[in-house]
């Protein structure tokens, strides 16, 4: 099983992008799935997380009201709809999953590499 992100690209400020994470083998198995991002010179941090069974969500303050995380169980895919993008959203976006922690814990405190799975990342660049 693996996570594969897609949908990144270059967009002007105020624009939108939708990221996809192919998550076959993770959805429907009691996983927390999240989107995280890493900007140049910074550590990877949370963006949004979702529980794959109850579909409860958590967003960081920086993206609340602009981004939306969702799950399509039929396609085994997790999406991150990003609207009203800002230059500060420029980063490599990663999809992560863990079955050892809740979506809330995953976004707030992360998970050890040994207890989580990660995709290779997709670059999002927002120009001013």
């Amino acid at each position: 099983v693996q996570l594969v992100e897609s949908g990144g690209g270059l967009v002007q400020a105020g624009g939108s992008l939708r990221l996809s994470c192919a998550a076959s083998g993770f959805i429907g198995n009691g996983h927390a799935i999240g989107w995280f991002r890493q900007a140049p010179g910074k550590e990877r941090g949370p963006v949004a997380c979702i529980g794959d069974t109850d579909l409860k969500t958590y967003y960081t303050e920086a993206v609340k009201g602009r981004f939306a995380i969702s799950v399509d169980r039929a396609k085994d895919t997790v999406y991150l709809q990003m609207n009203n993008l800002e230059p500060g959203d420029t980063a490599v976006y990663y999809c992560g999953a863990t079955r050892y922690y809740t979506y809330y814990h995953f976004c707030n405190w992360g998970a050890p590499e040994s207890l989580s799975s990660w995709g290779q990342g997709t670059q999002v660049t927002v120009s001013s």
Side-chain angles (χ1 to χ4, degrees):
V1 294
Q2 60 179 352
L3 300 167
V4 181
E5 304 96 332
S6 61
L10 173 64
V11 64
Q12 288 188 331
S16 297
L17 280 176
R18 188 177 76 162
L19 304 183
S20 300
C21 174
S24 179
F26 293 94
I27 294 176
N29 291 323
H31 280 81
I33 302 173
W35 286 97
F36 294 71
R37 67 187 180 186
Q38 185 170 19
K42 296 185 178 181
E43 292 186 355
R44 187 169 64 190
V47 175
C49 295
I50 189 168
D52 74 331
T53 50
D54 58 17
L55 301 184
K56 290 184 177 180
T57 58
Y58 176 88
Y59 297 93
T60 60
E61 285 299 321
V63 306
K64 197 174 291 185
R66 299 188 298 124
F67 291 10
I69 187 171
S70 61
V71 170
D72 185 330
R73 290 188 173 128
K75 297 182 178 180
D76 281 337
T77 300
V78 180
Y79 299 102
L80 183 69
Q81 178 67 44
M82 305 186 295
N83 299 324
N84 194 21
L85 283 159
E86 304 168 351
D89 296 317
T90 295
V92 178
Y93 284 70
Y94 297 91
C95 178
T98 179
R99 61 183 177 92
Y100 296 96
Y101 300 93
T102 66
Y103 73 96
Y104 187 85
H105 183 113
F106 195 30
C107 255
N108 279 282
W109 298 286
E113 292 289 330
S114 60
L115 300 181
S116 57
S117 299
W118 297 91
Q120 80 289 350
T122 185
Q123 176 71 47
V124 172
T125 302
V126 184
S127 63
S128 57

